[in-house]
Amino acid sequence: MTYLPRRAAAAATSVAALFALVTGCSGAEAPAPAAEARAAAASPVALPAPRSAPSPAAVLTPAPTAGEVRVQQGPFTDRVQLTGLRLTASPSSVTGHVAIGSDVSDTLALEITAAYYDAEGRLLGTGTFHHAEEGEEAHAGQPHTGPRAAGDGIDFTVPADHLTGTPAGAVLSIPVLVNE
């Protein structure tokens, strides 16, 4: 009879260990595997928030010289060549030419922004230029004959929106560049 209590004690210990593994240290009941699967399937997938372009500086230091156009370094400035940059007075805008030098594929989307500053370096307003390739299907089988950012590049104009004064200079940035 001495073996029965040992067996009972061993069985009780095994049951207690199994119970501790199943419920964890908190003593809470573990969810059933089917409930876990349903909860995982119903949970939305969390994607990282899209990054947006940084806001232009409220004050440009040093203040721009008359007609100066600066290029803000960013993730795409090493992939493009910006030439012929010019600040025009009426209407206020920045004009220039952009060519994609790092890739020979077509440019699907390109955005160039300009922040306009007065002679003291205060922000007066901004503007945006958008370029999007239409794709081959838009041409119904005909070759694309319009300007492309890849290769020879394209001319652009970034018009100023709602300026609060007369700009002396501008800062360009490229927040979007998408190639095939």
Side-chain angles (χ1 to χ4, degrees):
M1 292 200 95
T2 58
Y3 295 108
L4 184 58
R6 282 189 208 171
R7 284 188 184 165
T13 303
S14 296
V15 169
L18 182 61
F19 183 76
L21 285 174
V22 171
T23 61
C25 295
S26 67
E29 212 175 289
E36 285 179 23
R38 282 192 305 272
S43 298
V45 175
L47 298 174
R51 293 184 55 170
S52 60
S55 298
V59 176
L60 187 60
T61 306
T65 59
E68 179 182 10
V69 178
R70 297 179 191 172
V71 177
Q72 179 180 7
Q73 294 301 309
F76 306 116
T77 52
D78 63 336
R79 295 173 50 191
V80 301
Q81 290 87 40
L82 295 165
T83 56
L85 300 178
R86 201 167 57 99
L87 178 64
T88 61
S90 183
S92 294
S93 63
V94 173
T95 60
H97 185 82
V98 62
I100 311 299
S102 66
D103 200 337
V104 296
S105 64
D106 288 339
T107 300
L108 301 176
L110 171 67
E111 182 178 312
I112 301 173
T113 61
Y116 295 91
Y117 293 89
D118 66 11
E120 286 78 42
R122 292 184 302 252
L123 180 64
L124 300 174
T126 61
T128 305
F129 167 82
H130 294 279
H131 173 78
E133 290 291 339
E134 297 170 9
E136 292 301 318
E137 61 279 353
H139 300 287
Q142 300 299 315
H144 180 83
T145 58
R148 294 181 185 261
D152 292 338
I154 58 172
D155 294 326
F156 66 87
T157 299
V158 185
D161 296 327
H162 310 343
L163 291 180
T164 59
T166 303
V171 176
L172 292 182
S173 62
I174 303 173
V176 176
L177 176 60
V178 180
N179 292 69
E180 282 184 336

